[in-house]
Amino acid sequence: MAAEQPQPEGSKPLSGLLSGIAQATYYGHAGITEELLRGQLYPEAAPHEFRALLAKMSGVLKSVASADMDLNQLEAFLTAQTKKQGGITADQAAVIAKFWKNHRTKIRESLINQSRWDNTLKNMNWRVDLKSQSRHVDQINTPVAIVEMELGKNGQRQ
């Protein structure tokens, strides 16, 4: 146990809050509500205080996820956030960094899946034809492109 760093005070509720934000925002679990998170993680916090914390952490997580930050970018971003007026504390930054290390891949995959169209391109064939006969001489050797595209639902096999 001596080899592990002690967890900062309040890190478990904050880690749970970040997980709840990720569940609701990136993994599509509609049952995760502000009231549920407050009741489970910060029951002693006033509603307006919890709402401010939720908004701050949601914003930080959104910034980190949308930029798909690597660990160096994350460290620089979190350091800037700790120095900003009304930003985050160093303990919060440590919890966010640990959360991002553990959840980066899954959140990135979720964002990619959310940004895909319903239909996907399964197959494509193309060719260019030249007219060799025509009633009008000026239409001979006019190229015509023919493209065939096969679309399918995302995730379905052919």
Side-chain angles (χ1 to χ4, degrees):
M1 190 77 179
E4 284 186 24
Q5 290 183 327
Q7 291 291 329
E9 185 63 36
S11 69
K12 285 211 187 316
L14 182 59
S15 182
L17 178 63
L18 292 171
S19 291
I21 293 168
Q23 291 290 326
T25 306
Y26 303 110
Y27 307 144
H29 295 120
I32 309 284
T33 63
E34 179 181 325
E35 292 78 25
L36 175 73
L37 291 173
R38 186 172 146 257
Q40 295 287 317
L41 302 169
Y42 293 93
E44 72 288 346
H48 69 279
E49 290 173 352
F50 178 74
R51 204 169 293 124
L53 177 65
L54 180 64
K56 184 186 297 184
M57 291 302 139
S58 294
V60 168
L61 195 54
K62 182 179 179 184
S63 296
V64 171
S66 63
D68 190 28
M69 293 184 186
D70 63 26
L71 297 180
N72 291 331
Q73 293 169 319
L74 179 67
E75 184 179 338
F77 174 75
L78 292 176
T79 300
Q81 291 297 309
T82 59
K83 295 179 179 179
K84 191 170 99 174
Q85 181 72 25
I88 60 175
T89 67
D91 287 346
Q92 288 173 332
V95 173
I96 293 166
K98 182 177 179 185
F99 175 83
W100 184 244
K101 284 178 199 171
N102 294 331
H103 292 267
R104 178 182 182 190
T105 303
K106 194 172 178 186
I107 289 175
R108 183 174 186 278
E109 287 173 6
S110 173
L111 285 173
I112 289 170
N113 287 332
Q114 288 175 23
S115 67
R116 283 194 181 133
W117 291 351
D118 220 12
N119 289 325
T120 59
L121 181 63
K122 298 291 184 188
N123 192 14
M124 185 175 105
N125 295 312
W126 65 274
R127 71 177 194 254
V128 176
D129 291 346
L130 292 175
K131 286 188 177 185
S132 60
Q133 285 186 329
S134 180
R135 208 183 308 183
H136 304 289
V137 176
D138 60 342
Q139 291 181 346
I140 294 178
N141 291 330
T142 303
V144 176
I146 298 173
V147 179
E148 296 176 1
M149 292 187 282
E150 181 183 343
L151 301 177
K153 290 285 184 192
N154 196 15
Q156 282 183 339
R157 297 277 176 217
Q158 284 184 326

